[in-house]
Amino acid sequence: MQNGLEFRSFLLFLVLVSLLFFSILMPFLGAIFWAVALAIVFAPLQNYFVKHIQWKNVATLCTLLCCALVVVLPFLFIITSVIAECVKIYAALNSGSTNLAHYFNEIQKAYPFVQDILQQLNLEPGLITQKVSEFALKVSGIVAQQTVHIGQGTISFIVQIAIMLYVAFFMMRDSKSLIIKLHKALPLGHKREQLLFAKFSEVTRATIKGSLVVAMVQGTIGGLVFYFLGISSALLWGVVMTLFSLIPMVGASIVWFPVCVYFFAVGETLNACILLFFGAVVIGLMDNILRPVLVGRDTKLPDYVILLSTLGGFSIFGMNGFVVGPLVATLFIASWEIFTLEFNDDDCEIEEE
């Protein structure tokens, strides 16, 4: 009786201390999550350096340096450049030097059926252009205002990056011992833990390599095509295409296709054909070409699951949700697969009609 009471009291104490510890780490959960993700993605490179360098700390520093050069520095450059582009767009819209109504009027002239559709829907073209202009001005204004907050939070942002790299160092160096400790601590059963850990690593690599990398390639190609066609703010639109490429059934076409339509409307047929070719053929085929090379097709979730988990993850976790959402969805599916295999009656068969 006393032993049972002591055990339950200890479990309660363990839960309370764990919750308190996680609440302390809450401000740094994003940095810790990305540290773990980087350790998983760069694990093959870490193993390579460990094999060729005698000192493990030096090998891990080499991996971390590659990680900083490949991931962190380009990310910082893109963020600062995009903010600068958004400020320019806001200034142009606010001053009236950029008039969205002009582009819409050109499309109406070239495609008369657009006006017919608007009339059938009882929509006034002037009202639409006004609302679109107000929305664009509001969005760019919000982004421009955020530059002040980003400037004020520069130290905090740098601290988050430093914590991420610091934690990533130990995750890379001590990954094997940490996994062994987790196996001993978790009461899920060794086989289940192995499967869940494998799924976690598999999906993290698949999401980052198969989704983020593919989306970045698509956004980069789209941004370069915009740049060579003389479209302003090409870097910003490239980043926007990257973000939309992460969402199934949406993709980068939501950005480049309206521009292609506009080029046809104003008679720039060559530019329209070039953009249509790169958008439909090159950018469109990147997913089918790169994803199987990077991660294969075995880890790919159904498109509707990716869509819902990505949007849901983004709404809850912000930018981290692009990775966290599909990861949680895969662990959910894997957990129910384990439950189905272990606890369902094998003799019970459901006949499909």
Side-chain angles (χ1 to χ4, degrees):
M1 181 69 179
Q2 184 178 359
N3 289 336
L5 178 62
E6 290 176 354
F7 182 71
R8 287 191 293 271
S9 300
F10 175 73
L11 284 181
L12 177 61
F13 173 77
L14 182 63
V15 170
L16 292 176
V17 171
S18 299
L19 291 174
L20 180 61
F21 178 70
F22 279 111
S23 66
I24 293 172
L25 294 181
M26 191 68 68
F28 311 107
L29 284 182
I32 295 170
F33 170 77
W34 282 107
V36 174
L38 291 175
I40 292 172
V41 172
F42 284 88
L45 185 62
Q46 169 70 5
N47 294 334
Y48 172 82
F49 281 126
V50 168
K51 288 181 182 178
H52 292 82
I53 298 177
Q54 183 178 358
W55 300 279
K56 198 170 185 179
N57 286 339
V58 176
T60 306
L61 283 174
C62 291
T63 306
L64 203 61
L65 179 61
C66 294
C67 174
L69 292 175
V70 173
V71 177
V72 178
L73 292 181
F75 172 76
L76 294 175
F77 169 76
I78 290 172
I79 288 295
T80 53
S81 301
V82 166
I83 290 173
E85 292 287 347
C86 289
V87 172
K88 289 180 182 178
I89 291 176
Y90 174 73
L93 290 172
N94 198 30
S95 64
S97 58
T98 298
N99 188 4
L100 296 180
H102 168 73
Y103 300 106
F104 189 74
N105 291 334
E106 292 291 340
I107 292 176
Q108 278 188 293
K109 291 178 184 177
Y111 308 105
F113 66 87
V114 173
Q115 192 167 1
D116 296 335
I117 294 174
L118 293 177
Q119 288 177 353
Q120 291 178 2
L121 297 174
N122 294 323
L123 296 175
E124 301 243 352
L127 182 61
I128 293 176
T129 54
Q130 180 184 350
K131 293 296 183 182
V132 171
S133 299
E134 290 176 356
F135 176 76
L137 185 62
K138 184 177 180 180
V139 171
S140 58
I142 291 172
V143 175
Q145 290 173 2
Q146 290 302 312
T147 57
V148 178
H149 299 292
I150 291 172
Q152 293 173 346
T154 300
I155 296 177
S156 175
F157 182 71
I158 293 174
V159 168
Q160 291 283 345
I161 295 291
I163 291 174
M164 180 190 72
L165 294 175
Y166 180 75
V167 175
F169 174 85
F170 294 100
M171 292 293 175
M172 293 174 182
R173 191 192 67 176
D174 305 328
S175 58
K176 293 182 180 178
S177 61
L178 289 173
I179 291 174
I180 292 173
K181 289 180 180 179
L182 283 174
H183 274 302
K184 291 180 179 179
L186 293 175
L188 303 177
H190 187 70
K191 290 184 179 179
R192 299 189 196 99
E193 292 163 6
Q194 279 187 322
L195 178 60
L196 291 174
F197 285 158
K199 281 288 183 183
F200 181 86
S201 300
E202 191 178 75
V203 174
T204 302
R205 289 195 187 98
T207 304
I208 294 177
K209 291 170 62 179
S211 296
L212 288 180
V213 173
V214 172
M216 289 173 64
V217 171
Q218 291 175 324
T220 301
I221 294 174
L224 288 174
V225 174
F226 273 33
Y227 174 77
F228 285 113
L229 293 179
I231 300 171
S232 60
S233 303
L235 178 62
L236 173 62
W237 295 121
V239 173
V240 174
M241 279 188 271
T242 299
L243 295 177
F244 278 115
S245 296
L246 291 168
I247 304 175
M249 297 181 290
V250 177
S253 60
I254 199 172
V255 178
W256 63 259
F257 185 73
V259 180
C260 184
V261 171
Y262 174 76
F263 277 150
F264 277 117
V266 297
E268 297 185 21
T269 308
L270 179 60
N271 287 347
C273 291
I274 292 173
L275 184 57
L276 182 62
F277 170 76
F278 278 95
V281 179
V282 180
I283 297 177
L285 290 177
M286 280 296 104
D287 188 75
N288 295 327
I289 295 173
L290 285 182
R291 192 183 299 274
V293 173
L294 291 172
V295 295
R297 295 187 179 274
D298 294 337
T299 59
K300 192 175 187 301
L301 291 171
D303 285 342
Y304 65 90
V305 175
I306 297 177
L307 176 65
L308 295 175
S309 60
T310 300
L311 295 177
F314 178 73
S315 65
I316 296 174
F317 302 104
M319 293 300 296
N320 295 334
F322 283 113
V323 178
V324 177
L327 179 60
V328 172
T330 303
L331 292 178
F332 170 80
I333 293 173
S335 301
W336 277 100
E337 286 178 351
I338 294 173
F339 176 82
T340 302
L341 290 173
E342 293 189 5
F343 297 100
N344 273 7
D345 186 3
D346 295 333
D347 297 328
C348 180
E349 297 182 356
I350 300 176
E351 295 183 0
E352 296 184 358
E353 294 183 1

